[in-house]
Amino acid sequence: RWVFLNGEYKRKSEAMISVFDHGFLYGDGVFEGIRVYSGNVFRLHEHMVRLYESAKSILLDIPYSLDELEAHVVETVRKNQLVDAYIRLVVSRGDGPLGLDPSECEIANVVIIVDKIRLYSQELYDKGLTVVTVPTRRNIPDALNPRVKSLNYLNNILAKSEAKQAGAGEAIILSSDGYVTEGSSDNIFMVKDNVLYTPPCYLGALKGITRQTIIDIAGELGYPLKEEPFTRHDLFNADEVLLTGTGAEVISVVQVDGRSVGKGVPGPVSKDLISQFRKLVT
Ligand code: PDD
């Protein structure tokens, strides 16, 4: 495996950053998770736009233009000769003295990793996932807007571990008003009477690229889509629930907080959306 590190390619075992990197010390940085399907980097430009938006939001200067960094991503995929892969593109604040002040870091560290990823077993894609809502909340007044894909993933990590401790596969995070926002690393949709619903991102969700892909596919397939707030009660009484994310792709949810969704198996609309998604990416 070759890793892109600050303009050079390093072997996986030699790709090192300093312990004074502020991404390592304070989670000060942004990242993207991107998929490669049959050699094609899926929605790369959309991911790059989001990366630069996240960086701008935290006053982080990326030492490449968007087009330059986009080209480095494509190069790194080619150099690793992987046709199906997952890209982790990371931009940290860079090396600096101890202390939070980001202005003390001279230049960002830029890392491009290309590897394999498997978030859920094939069985879970076939049978559907069990999820729980967790005490972790998305609070918009926080300094860090959930729209920013930052290295600050402890909220998400703790939510995921709460789900695991409850014997569930994924955690659903609620807003402080109790509206459903998203999963620990994926967006959420529900189906009711053949209408698709997904939370508006302003509730506290990442503007997912797979979410947008499913919105586009729903339009093509003629399913009405409503971006509006909904609660756990709506989820319990949905006909279908599904999660979307670059790592997760599209996966059916068949149980929420112990309530089975619909007939407790992946539903017809989810299957329709998933088969269209698979056609689109391969
Ligand atoms: N990110 N919400 C959160 C908090 C996420 O971390 C992710 C995906 C998503 C889905 O966004 P997208 O469809 O653009 O990937 C939503 C992980 C790291 C990933 O799947 O790469």
Side-chain angles (χ1 to χ4, degrees), residues 31-35 42 46-47 50 86-88 117 119 138 146 148-150 153 156 170 173 181-188 204-213 244-249:
F31 81 101
E32 277 296 325
I34 311 168
R35 275 248 187 215
F42 187 64
E46 289 84 342
H47 281 282
R50 187 171 66 186
Y86 178 83
I87 302 164
R88 176 51 54 89
I117 191 170
L119 287 194
R138 278 285 194 204
V148 175
K149 200 172 174 71
S150 85
Y153 258 57
N156 313 57
E170 176 58 312
I173 299 168
T181 64
E182 61 178 348
S184 70
S185 64
D186 33 56
N187 292 104
I188 187 166
L206 187 74
K207 203 169 172 55
I209 287 163
T210 318
R211 170 183 182 274
Q212 188 55 53
T213 304
T244 66
T246 298
E249 296 182 291

Side-chain angles (χ1 to χ4, degrees), residues 72 100 120 132 210 247 262:
H72 286 312
L100 295 179
Y120 299 108
V132 289
T210 318

Side-chain angles (χ1 to χ4, degrees), residues 57-68:
S57 203
I58 67 165
L59 282 167
L60 173 57
D61 280 330
I62 299 179
Y64 298 95
S65 72
L66 188 150
D67 292 342
E68 281 168 346

Side-chain angles (χ1 to χ4, degrees), residues 140-192:
I140 289 300
D142 290 353
L144 184 61
N145 190 311
R147 293 281 306 281
V148 175
K149 200 172 174 71
S150 85
L151 299 180
N152 270 241
Y153 258 57
L154 264 182
N155 249 339
N156 313 57
I157 291 162
L158 293 175
K160 187 78 170 183
S161 61
E162 278 153 13
K164 289 285 178 188
Q165 280 154 24
E170 176 58 312
I172 302 301
I173 299 168
L174 304 177
S175 70
S176 36
D177 311 356
Y179 290 113
V180 173
T181 64
E182 61 178 348
S184 70
S185 64
D186 33 56
N187 292 104
I188 187 166
F189 287 79
M190 70 172 187
V191 180
K192 185 76 174 173

Side-chain angles (χ1 to χ4, degrees), residues 229-244:
F230 55 82
T231 63
R232 294 169 73 213
H233 172 71
D234 300 301
L235 271 191
F236 299 155
N237 291 289
D239 299 327
E240 303 181 38
V241 174
L242 56 152
L243 303 178
T244 66

Side-chain angles (χ1 to χ4, degrees), residues 241-268:
V241 174
L242 56 152
L243 303 178
T244 66
T246 298
E249 296 182 291
V250 188
I251 186 164
S252 271
V253 170
V254 292
Q255 192 188 106
V256 182
D257 291 340
R259 288 80 163 174
S260 67
V261 176
K263 299 188 176 61
V265 292

